[in-house]
């Protein structure tokens, strides 16, 4: 009975996490394009908002531990979720670039608190013997939500006005709040803690894998915004239906679950990450020479191999009671890479060849960095 109850609540927090990422990432492909058109400024300027979004996540980071220890963690998650939804509503009323930057910073701040509180709740309700598997599942669902959000955002923007997309984002956010409110969290007395610290924010021991993660996620970030619509002109057979690039990424990501299970050999992490990075390099190299669907599936496969293994690396580099910090650091590094990729793509909206060339270089550096620096460092420093 206890296991069944734990499973039910863990599934709920995973669903809430999925909805959180859908609510956010449904906006990511279109926000820079829509706001540039509305404000009459270049996309390169509105693309900067993604950097301010990441800045918001880092500004609130030192206060994560205080917030989730001094107050009820479920309430912290709900209020942060609500603030993120409110920021989404605010995009409908933006009239200048300053307001846009402030909104994106607030949204990043709220997203940072919501994800950290969600990670802490997931760990709290998970049996200690199952936490490693729970961490991977929780993170995997988040990435699935990211992909679903991107696909929904592209499809809605192609077919409907921006307000419909904002409705979907808000509805997903509200549903997420309702799901979180139904999660049972055992009573925990408030803990007196420092106002600011690196706890549940940055795992300093993982700074090398964090750099590698930024390089890895920079590449999919390049391909997210609609500043290069050729990615979403792929036609499904003879139906005339346009298929967004990230539909294939999502398919490859799901298939990677099956393939990853075939690797039971020694050095599984090394093999999977090298294979994943090789697929990422191949995907972006083939983007202009093969059907777009092929590259999208290869990219999804690659990310599906890489992301869980990197999370395991972060967790194994952490000491006792630092699992939540490891999860948050993994998330921050990946979000920074994605934001840098989106901002770069917005600056190069008319130079597709140069953008893809940069993607190839960055992905290749990520592979070399992993083999020569990250993995040897991980083998020396891991504590679990």
């Amino acid at each position: 009975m206890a296991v069944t109850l734990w499973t039910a609540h863990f599934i709920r927090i995973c669903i809430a996490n999925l909805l959180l990422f859908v609510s956010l990432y449904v906006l990511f492909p279109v926000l820079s394009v829509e706001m540039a058109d509305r404000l009459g400024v270049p996309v390169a300027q509105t693309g900067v908002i993604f950097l301010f979004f990441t800045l918001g996540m880092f500004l609130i980071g030192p206060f994560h531990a205080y917030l989730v220890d001094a107050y009820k963690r479920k309430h912290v998650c709900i209020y942060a979720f609500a603030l993120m939804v409110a920021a989404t509503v605010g995009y409908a009323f933006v009239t200048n670039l300053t307001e846009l930057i402030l909104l994106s910073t607030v949204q990043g701040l709220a997203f940072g608190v919501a994800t950290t509180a969600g990670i802490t709740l997931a760990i709290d309700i998970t049996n200690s013997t199952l936490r490693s598997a729970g961490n991977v599942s929780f993170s995997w669902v988040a990435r699935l939500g990211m992909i679903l959000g991107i696909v929904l955002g592209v499809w809605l923007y192609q077919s409907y006005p921006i307000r419909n997309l904002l409705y979907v984002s808000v509805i997903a956010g509200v549903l997420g709040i309702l799901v979180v409110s139904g999660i049972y969290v055992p009573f925990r007395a408030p803990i007196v803690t420092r106002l600011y610290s690196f706890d549940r924010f940055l795992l300093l021991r993982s700074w090398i894998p964090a750099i590698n993660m930024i390089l890895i996620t920079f590449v999919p970030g390049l391909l997210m915004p609609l500043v290069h619509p050729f990615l979403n002109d792929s036609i499904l057979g003879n139906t005339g239906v346009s298929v967004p690039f990230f539909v294939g990424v999502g398919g490859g990501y799901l298939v990677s679950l099956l393939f990853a299970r075939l690797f039971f050999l020694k050095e599984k992490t090394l093999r999977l990450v090298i294979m994943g990075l090789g697929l990422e390099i191949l995907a972006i190299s083939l983007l202009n020479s093969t059907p777009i669907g092929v590259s999208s599936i290869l990219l999804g496969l690659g990310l599906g191999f890489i992301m869980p293994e990197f999370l395991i690396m972060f967790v194994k580099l952490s000491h006792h009671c630092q699992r939540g910090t490891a999860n948050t650091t993994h998330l921050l590094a990946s979000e920074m890479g994605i934001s840098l990729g989106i901002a770069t793509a917005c600056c190069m909206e008319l130079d597709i060849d140069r953008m893809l060339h940069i993607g190839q270089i960055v992905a290749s550096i990520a592979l070399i960095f992993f083999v020569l620096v990250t993995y040897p460092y991980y083998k020396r420093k891991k504590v679990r």
Side-chain angles (χ1 to χ4, degrees):
M1 177 67 72
V3 174
T4 305
L5 186 62
W6 165 79
T7 303
H9 287 294
F10 184 74
I11 290 173
R12 284 180 182 175
I13 192 65
C14 284
I15 292 172
N17 202 35
L18 177 82
L19 291 167
L20 174 67
F21 276 78
V22 168
S23 177
L24 177 69
Y25 273 88
V26 75
L27 304 172
F28 270 30
V30 307
L31 205 53
S32 56
V33 176
E34 171 64 23
M35 291 301 165
D37 184 59
R38 183 193 299 183
L39 302 179
V41 299
V43 174
Q45 288 188 28
T46 54
V48 173
I49 64 172
F50 296 100
L51 302 182
F52 281 93
F53 172 86
T54 306
L55 176 64
M57 293 183 69
F58 275 87
L59 288 176
I60 196 62
F63 305 98
H64 284 166
Y66 175 78
L67 290 171
V68 299
D69 284 339
Y71 304 99
K72 290 183 178 180
R73 292 167 180 178
K74 187 167 80 171
H75 291 175
V76 171
C77 187
I78 289 173
Y79 294 145
F81 227 131
L83 181 59
M84 203 184 85
V85 171
T88 299
V89 174
Y91 286 125
F93 305 99
V94 167
T95 58
N96 57 64
L97 192 58
T98 301
E99 292 176 357
L100 182 61
I101 288 172
L102 288 173
L103 266 180
S104 61
T105 305
V106 169
Q107 194 167 47
L109 183 151
F111 181 71
V113 175
T115 50
T116 300
I119 288 167
T120 305
L121 285 173
I123 292 173
D124 284 349
I125 64 178
T126 304
N127 188 287
S128 59
T129 60
L130 299 172
R131 280 178 180 164
S132 290
N135 284 335
V136 172
S137 300
F138 189 74
S139 177
W140 194 91
V141 167
R143 297 305 157 198
L144 181 61
M146 177 187 81
I147 294 170
L148 289 174
I150 294 168
V151 171
L152 268 175
V154 172
W155 177 71
L156 286 169
Y157 194 69
Q158 288 176 337
S159 309
Y160 301 97
I162 185 67
R163 67 174 180 273
N164 293 56
L165 189 144
L166 294 175
Y167 291 154
V168 170
S169 178
V170 170
I171 290 170
V174 171
L175 288 175
I177 292 170
L178 294 175
V179 173
V180 172
S181 65
I183 297 171
Y184 169 74
V185 183
F187 173 76
R188 176 192 57 82
I191 302 172
V192 178
T193 186
R194 293 173 57 186
L195 180 60
Y196 54 89
S197 69
F198 283 134
D199 187 26
R200 295 188 177 90
F201 173 40
L202 288 178
L203 182 67
L204 298 182
R205 287 172 55 85
S206 67
W207 68 275
I208 287 180
I211 292 172
N212 214 155
M213 179 59 62
I214 291 169
L215 293 171
I216 290 166
T217 55
F218 176 86
V219 176
L222 277 176
L223 307 175
M224 282 185 192
L226 285 178
V227 291
H228 28 251
F230 80 98
L231 288 176
N232 300 293
D233 289 339
S234 179
I235 304 300
L236 183 63
N238 296 319
T239 62
V241 177
S242 180
V243 180
F245 177 82
F246 274 83
V247 169
V249 175
Y253 194 69
L254 290 171
V255 171
S256 71
L257 269 181
L258 304 176
F259 282 116
R261 293 181 180 275
L262 300 177
F263 289 81
F264 297 104
L265 303 175
K266 190 177 180 180
E267 306 292 353
K268 174 187 174 184
T269 295
L270 178 65
R271 294 168 185 264
L272 280 176
V273 174
I274 289 177
M275 183 178 295
L277 283 167
L279 288 170
E280 184 176 77
I281 294 168
L282 182 62
I284 199 160
S285 299
L286 295 177
L287 204 51
N288 265 346
S289 58
T290 60
I292 287 174
V294 174
S295 292
S296 66
I297 292 171
L298 290 176
L299 180 61
L301 274 172
L303 292 175
F305 289 154
I306 295 167
M307 300 302 283
E309 296 303 318
F310 255 83
L311 177 59
I312 290 171
M313 287 170 58
F314 276 80
V315 170
K316 288 187 175 181
L317 284 168
S318 64
H319 290 288
H320 181 63
C321 293
Q322 288 186 314
R323 197 183 295 265
T325 310
N327 275 260
T328 304
T329 308
H330 176 268
L331 173 70
L332 284 169
S334 60
E335 293 297 324
M336 176 177 281
I338 288 170
S339 296
L340 288 171
I342 295 175
T344 302
C346 290
C347 290
M348 298 182 173
E349 58 174 312
L350 301 178
D351 197 344
I352 303 301
D353 291 335
R354 187 180 172 204
M355 185 196 74
L356 295 179
H357 183 60
I358 289 175
Q360 292 169 21
I361 292 173
V362 172
S364 299
I365 292 173
L367 175 57
I368 295 169
F369 191 82
F370 175 77
V371 174
L372 298 183
V373 182
T374 302
Y375 193 71
Y377 175 85
Y378 162 69
K379 294 291 285 184
R380 289 196 314 270
K381 298 291 186 178
K382 68 177 182 176
V383 295
R384 294 179 188 268

